[in-house]
Amino acid sequence: MNVTPDVKEMLTRLDQEITAKCGSTRGPLIEYYGTLKMYVGDRRTFTAGAGKDRATLGKFFALRLLEEMYNLGYNMHISSDLAREHDQATWFFSKSAIPNENRGRYRVCCIAPGGLRSNKLVLLHHDEYIKQAVMLALGDAWPKGVSKTEDIMSYGELLHEISLNGYWGQTKEDGINTRKAICNLVGRMGGLNWKLLASSNLKGTADSFFFVYDPTFSAQPNDFCMLSLSKNDRFRLINCNHLIEPLKTAITAAGLSIQEQLIYYGSQEIKVRGNPWRSGSNREAIAARRSISRIMEVFGKHGYTPLYAIDVSRSLTDKASILFWKNPSPMNCKYACLSLTSTKRLRLLDFPIDVGAAMRDCIHQFYPFGVQNEVKLPDSNLEINIKGWPWIVHALSKGAAFYHMRAVLGKMMAIAAQHGWYVSISADVSSKVGGDDNNQYPLDVHSIYFVKMQ
């Protein structure tokens, strides 16, 4: 979407590379509702349970695309899930102000859980140092240990597969240890100058991690902690129990009421009244999203920056775990939220009036199906209900609104940046589901958070 000539030329080369690797002959790039579409393998490449070769092809395409975009001078901002059913990631990039000749060539590697109920981690475009870093991270944070490791060839690519005792991203002890392992893994990779570039949904299962080699970057495991949104009403702190009191302050400032404080498999847990992550109430749902903004502001004052929001299991009720990175000094910053809910609703929360008005005008100017109505919310916030179904691929429109709204979101990010508000993270903050027992689906998509330094 919004493809420039240099990106189109790159995609043509990448299409030829993918075709040579997998033998697919599904055709060249295709113009599709004002976007450019390319095929990667077959229709099951980005589908859970599609088999090792297809999964390898999906990871290979993703990391090669990230490498090529960065080498063209594009920075990736977020990976965002914007569909209520069969959702895979949408990636947003912007052109860097740094000339290409000063950026160097980038290398990307992938570390990914395998499958729906996974006891495996798969490494692609790795080396022996990366293998050692992953094993050290698991040794520190996965007490059940590793059952075996092996090298596997798939589509001409060497994979390293690590089988765990226990299951990645599952509940109780395994769930806590998964999050601890992520903090440790990102730190161990940072010690080798590999920086987390993206945590992304490739096939509707747990996020895959993409790291970029950056000789100027360095980090250690103790530099990272995590805030996990749990059940329907809880916050969990991973590796940062010392922030429990500031976190309470942030939660109450957002309008939520604390019920009790608990210990959950060694982590601190705060239970709030109501069901903010499953709320059918507009007021409570808004308070839930604003609470994330207030929490990130408090974390910033204590020297922590949100790096990525991660889904570790992709179950219907799974929500984000926000990874924070320790900074040398505290930061005074403000956060605002673009909340995407229901089938056709956007909410602008905590933006200054002029910034919210400019983002609203962007929808009116660039979204071709128009706006149904607008609702003024308390504290100068705004709700916009649009026509069409931007979070659903509708059978009659064949997804026209689905694609146009993604392009509009990119323009809204650019307009916010012109006012000093930059994309921070895209996070799943809702566990609401719809449908029947045989066909359930999430009722909300991601919320996108913006930051402005004070």
Side-chain angles (χ1 to χ4, degrees):
M1 302 162 194
N2 300 334
V3 171
T4 52
D6 59 342
V7 173
K8 186 173 182 178
E9 188 275 332
M10 177 272 292
L11 289 173
T12 301
R13 287 189 287 103
L14 187 56
D15 177 62
Q16 294 169 352
E17 184 177 347
I18 294 294
T19 298
K21 182 171 288 291
C22 69
S24 171
T25 56
R26 294 190 65 189
L29 306 182
I30 301 169
E31 297 288 342
Y32 191 78
Y33 290 104
T35 73
L36 196 65
K37 180 169 73 171
M38 67 178 290
Y39 290 106
V40 182
D42 61 30
R43 296 183 184 276
R44 298 186 64 197
T45 299
F46 296 108
T47 303
K52 191 178 299 295
D53 283 344
R54 291 187 179 97
T56 299
L57 190 64
K59 296 182 187 73
F60 176 83
F61 166 77
L63 70 84
R64 286 288 296 117
L65 179 62
L66 288 171
E67 286 178 342
E68 291 293 340
M69 288 295 284
Y70 263 74
N71 292 330
L72 287 175
Y74 289 87
N75 293 324
M76 182 177 177
H77 289 303
I78 54 170
S79 169
S80 190
D81 291 358
L82 300 176
R84 286 159 44 115
E85 295 182 76
H86 312 297
D87 62 324
Q88 281 80 41
T90 299
W91 293 352
F92 291 91
F93 296 85
S94 68
K95 187 74 170 180
S96 172
I98 301 174
N100 287 1
E101 60 270 16
N102 296 329
R103 287 172 62 94
R105 296 290 298 177
Y106 282 83
R107 292 186 293 139
V108 174
C109 74
C110 177
I111 302 173
L116 287 168
R117 181 175 167 82
S118 179
N119 69 335
K120 291 182 172 62
L121 289 178
V122 179
L123 282 57
L124 177 62
H125 279 205
H126 58 285
D127 57 24
E128 287 298 320
Y129 295 105
I130 291 174
K131 287 165 62 173
Q132 293 173 16
V134 175
M135 293 301 294
L136 287 171
L138 293 173
D140 292 338
W142 195 264
K144 292 183 178 180
V146 170
S147 61
K148 69 173 183 177
T149 65
E150 59 180 328
D151 290 331
I152 300 170
M153 293 299 297
S154 175
Y155 275 133
E157 296 293 325
L158 177 64
L159 308 179
H160 185 67
E161 192 172 90
I162 302 170
S163 297
L164 307 172
N165 294 317
Y167 292 94
W168 186 265
Q170 296 302 305
T171 59
K172 300 182 180 179
E173 183 181 5
D174 282 358
I176 296 297
N177 290 335
T178 297
R179 290 160 176 83
K180 290 180 177 179
I182 292 170
C183 293
N184 208 291
L185 173 62
V186 176
R188 291 283 182 181
M189 291 292 286
L192 299 175
N193 307 117
W194 287 88
K195 178 172 64 177
L196 182 64
L197 175 61
S199 170
S200 190
N201 172 13
L202 294 188
K203 54 181 182 176
T205 57
D207 278 4
S208 298
F209 304 112
F210 295 91
F211 292 85
V212 61
Y213 183 75
D214 182 350
T216 67
F217 176 79
S218 181
Q220 300 299 324
N222 290 338
D223 295 335
F224 299 92
C225 67
M226 189 172 280
L227 174 73
S228 179
L229 312 181
S230 305
K231 297 188 176 180
N232 296 321
D233 57 1
R234 305 185 187 197
F235 299 85
R236 287 184 187 143
L237 288 170
I238 311 294
N239 293 353
C240 54
N241 289 346
H242 63 288
L243 295 177
I244 190 74
E245 294 304 323
L247 177 60
K248 289 180 180 178
T249 301
I251 291 170
T252 54
L256 298 178
S257 177
I258 296 173
Q259 185 170 335
E260 60 181 323
Q261 181 177 331
L262 306 165
I263 300 294
Y264 188 82
Y265 291 94
S267 68
Q268 289 280 354
E269 180 175 276
I270 298 173
K271 176 179 170 63
V272 299
R273 289 184 171 84
N275 297 288
W277 315 133
R278 197 180 178 89
S279 175
S281 160
N282 287 347
R283 181 176 179 180
E284 191 175 37
I286 290 170
R289 285 149 180 80
R290 297 181 76 186
S291 72
I292 306 300
S293 294
R294 304 292 83 77
I295 286 169
M296 292 192 291
E297 289 166 0
V298 168
F299 268 63
K301 290 177 181 177
H302 287 79
Y304 288 88
T305 298
L307 187 61
Y308 240 96
I310 298 169
D311 282 317
V312 301
S313 74
R314 199 67 54 177
S315 67
L316 279 172
T317 57
D318 190 28
K319 297 164 294 299
S321 294
I322 303 174
L323 181 68
F324 289 88
W325 179 26
K326 180 70 173 175
N327 294 299
S329 59
M331 296 182 301
N332 186 20
C333 47
K334 296 292 292 182
Y335 284 86
C337 176
L338 174 59
S339 173
L340 314 174
T341 70
S342 186
T343 58
K344 56 178 68 177
R345 180 172 298 156
L346 302 90
R347 290 184 178 134
L348 295 163
L349 306 176
D350 295 323
F351 287 97
I353 293 176
D354 61 331
V355 180
M359 295 173 74
R360 165 197 172 275
D361 292 345
C362 179
I363 298 174
H364 284 271
Q365 180 179 356
F366 294 108
Y367 183 65
F369 301 101
V371 171
Q372 184 173 316
N373 60 37
E374 297 179 4
V375 179
K376 292 184 178 180
L377 303 173
D379 300 325
S380 300
N381 295 314
L382 180 65
E383 176 180 294
I384 304 171
N385 294 288
I386 61 177
K387 298 177 182 178
W389 294 272
W391 323 132
I392 302 171
V393 179
H394 192 266
L396 296 179
S397 67
K398 295 184 179 179
F402 188 85
Y403 296 105
H404 281 294
M405 179 47 67
R406 281 152 178 72
V408 172
L409 288 173
K411 294 181 183 297
M412 293 175 72
M413 293 175 192
I415 287 174
Q418 292 172 6
H419 289 79
W421 287 85
Y422 297 94
V423 174
S424 175
I425 62 170
S426 177
D428 178 6
V429 298
S430 175
S431 62
K432 291 197 300 180
V433 296
D436 54 33
D437 291 340
N438 296 321
N439 183 30
Q440 290 189 318
Y441 53 87
L443 288 178
D444 285 323
V445 294
H446 274 200
S447 293
I448 301 173
Y449 287 87
F450 295 72
V451 63
K452 183 174 184 179
M453 302 301 298
Q454 300 295 296

